[in-house]
Amino acid sequence: MSVLKPFVFLAAFAACTPVCAQQSQEVVSEQASSLENSEQERTVENEENQSSRDESGIEVIDIIKRDTITESALDNRLEGDKEALDNVFAITQHRQNYLLPITYVSNPSSVASEELTNENIDNKEAKFQVSAKLPLYLEDTGFDGVYFGFTLTSFWQLYNSEASKPFRETNYEPEVFWQETADYSVLGYKFNTFQVGFNHMSNGQSGLRSRSWNRIFASIVFSDDDDIYYLKTWYRIPEDEKTDPLDPTGDDNPDIQDYYGRMELGYGRKIGAFKVLALLRNNLDVDENRGSIQLDFTYPISDRYEVLLQYFNGYGDSLIDYNRSQERIGIGFQLHFL
């Protein structure tokens, strides 16, 4: 029996080897299949995540998102501008365009018109604004580029028959600027446009009635579903001091920033069919703080026009009154702006 034992073990090993080899190969095959399935699942998952990200148009970069489809309160206005650019005969709104047939102003200046005096000046007057922009150069995207903007704001003593109904003051504001659209959102706020450019503001008068200044400015507009925010600041280009008050050259209003301000902050909101637009200016001077606030309340009356109720309080209602505190309220109509 001891002689046959090695042969018995060899026979048993020979019989077992194919079975073990087959089982080992089956295990390897199962492991390979499992790895292949796992890799396929990861690939499918990555493709689904990429597809989902492409569909959403949002790529998360910390708190900043690349955002191409999120809707905001300013979308209709920007889409209108883009459509107008496709028409080579069209110009677009730059700022608000409105007519206030009746306004009441608390402290109007008579300096700007020869026909007006402190005795015959009327606190009731009409006010209107016309503002447009047109592209000078556009990039291939069709919206970013260099623009020329022009805004005219006029104050008309329409009800002053005693002084022959003169235009008390008209302000002219041409500007050239670069406009860039943004496709990013931060903390849920979509950044819509950025502008940087040169601005000139004047009342077109001469001598003691002359008011003017030049600025380099930068502004940004951002929004969410219901709210619009606007921030603008500027640097005034220095001018030489006048040697004589009647000197046509030199600075007409060296202290204008102390009254008119050094920055603007705007806020707009839709409340049902109503829209509210607030514009705050400030000189950023803690010791002698001055500025202004303008509130516009609108309600649509057609596809093109809306009723406008406007209230102003502070400095800079007009250039001739830049250093006079004013309070003005008026009602009228404007083209849809937001």
Side-chain angles (χ1 to χ4, degrees):
M1 184 64 179
S2 60
V3 176
L4 297 176
K5 189 181 293 186
F7 296 99
V8 174
F9 286 138
L10 286 174
F13 177 76
C16 180
T17 298
V19 176
C20 292
Q22 183 178 0
Q23 291 177 345
S24 176
Q25 187 166 354
E26 289 176 355
V27 170
V28 171
S29 299
E30 290 177 358
Q31 290 177 345
S33 177
S34 177
L35 288 173
E36 183 178 354
N37 291 336
S38 178
E39 184 65 27
Q40 289 178 350
E41 290 176 357
R42 282 197 297 269
T43 301
V44 171
E45 183 178 357
N46 290 336
E47 289 177 353
E48 289 177 351
N49 290 338
Q50 181 65 37
S51 175
S52 175
R53 185 169 58 200
D54 292 342
E55 291 176 359
S56 67
I58 297 175
E59 179 182 351
V60 179
I61 310 175
D62 294 329
I63 61 172
I64 302 176
K65 296 180 181 180
R66 175 83 176 176
D67 192 341
T68 58
I69 67 165
T70 299
E71 296 182 355
S72 75
L74 204 62
D75 287 347
N76 289 336
R77 168 68 196 277
L78 294 178
E79 284 301 318
D81 283 355
K82 290 177 182 179
E83 290 176 7
L85 289 175
D86 294 334
N87 184 346
V88 296
F89 301 102
I91 58 178
T92 57
Q93 285 197 81
H94 182 36
R95 301 180 187 172
Q96 293 163 273
N97 287 266
Y98 60 78
L99 168 63
L100 304 177
I102 179 67
T103 72
Y104 180 89
V105 59
S106 61
N107 188 27
S109 172
S110 61
V111 175
S113 176
E114 294 180 354
E115 293 83 4
L116 295 173
T117 66
N118 292 333
E119 287 72 30
N120 67 11
I121 194 168
D122 196 344
N123 295 92
K124 300 186 299 296
E125 61 185 12
K127 177 185 177 184
F128 62 87
Q129 179 169 290
V130 179
S131 183
K133 70 176 183 286
L134 57 90
L136 302 179
Y137 161 79
L138 293 177
E139 291 192 326
D140 294 336
T141 57
F143 196 55
D144 300 341
V146 180
Y147 290 80
F148 171 76
F150 182 78
T151 302
L152 179 149
T153 308
S154 194
F155 306 85
W156 182 13
Q157 292 270 295
L158 178 61
Y159 308 98
N160 194 339
S161 300
E162 184 180 348
S164 189
K165 304 180 180 180
F167 282 85
R168 182 174 66 87
E169 168 84 339
T170 299
N171 296 160
Y172 309 91
E173 196 168 354
E175 51 193 343
V176 177
F177 57 92
W178 173 270
Q179 177 171 284
E180 183 86 17
T181 54
D183 293 329
Y184 287 93
S185 62
V186 179
L187 297 176
Y189 294 97
K190 184 175 181 179
F191 283 75
N192 302 102
T193 59
F194 170 77
Q195 295 180 354
V196 59
F198 169 81
N199 172 286
H200 171 76
M201 194 173 182
S202 170
N203 67 349
Q205 297 279 7
S206 61
L208 295 176
R209 297 188 179 94
S210 178
R211 303 286 186 273
S212 67
W213 61 329
N214 300 309
R215 295 175 286 172
I216 303 295
F217 73 90
S219 67
I220 190 168
V221 178
F222 55 100
S223 58
D224 58 18
D225 290 342
D226 301 308
D227 307 285
I228 299 171
Y229 303 88
Y230 157 79
L231 180 63
K232 179 179 180 180
T233 187
W234 52 80
Y235 166 75
R236 185 188 182 185
I237 299 176
E239 299 180 65
D240 295 333
E241 185 178 352
K242 281 183 178 291
T243 57
D244 184 270
L246 297 178
D247 189 351
T249 62
D251 197 343
D252 295 325
N253 28 247
D255 60 347
I256 189 169
Q257 288 197 119
D258 297 332
Y259 294 90
Y260 191 89
R262 293 176 171 83
M263 57 82 67
E264 290 180 347
L265 177 64
Y267 172 74
R269 182 175 178 84
K270 296 179 179 180
I271 308 173
F274 289 93
K275 297 172 188 173
V276 180
L277 182 61
L279 183 64
L280 175 69
R281 287 199 305 260
N282 197 268
N283 65 0
L284 304 179
D285 189 330
V286 176
D287 296 329
E288 295 185 35
N289 193 263
R290 301 187 186 96
S292 66
I293 184 170
Q294 179 175 303
L295 299 173
D296 292 341
F297 302 91
T298 61
Y299 185 82
I301 55 175
S302 72
D303 292 338
R304 185 178 295 271
Y305 299 105
E306 49 195 2
V307 175
L308 168 64
L309 175 65
Q310 185 178 91
Y311 173 76
F312 178 90
N313 193 325
Y315 294 91
D317 181 46
S318 66
L319 275 180
I320 201 67
D321 294 333
Y322 80 89
N323 57 358
R324 295 164 69 97
S325 181
Q326 300 278 16
E327 192 171 11
R328 179 190 296 273
I329 188 168
I331 190 168
F333 309 91
Q334 78 167 15
L335 288 175
H336 277 281
F337 184 66
L338 298 177

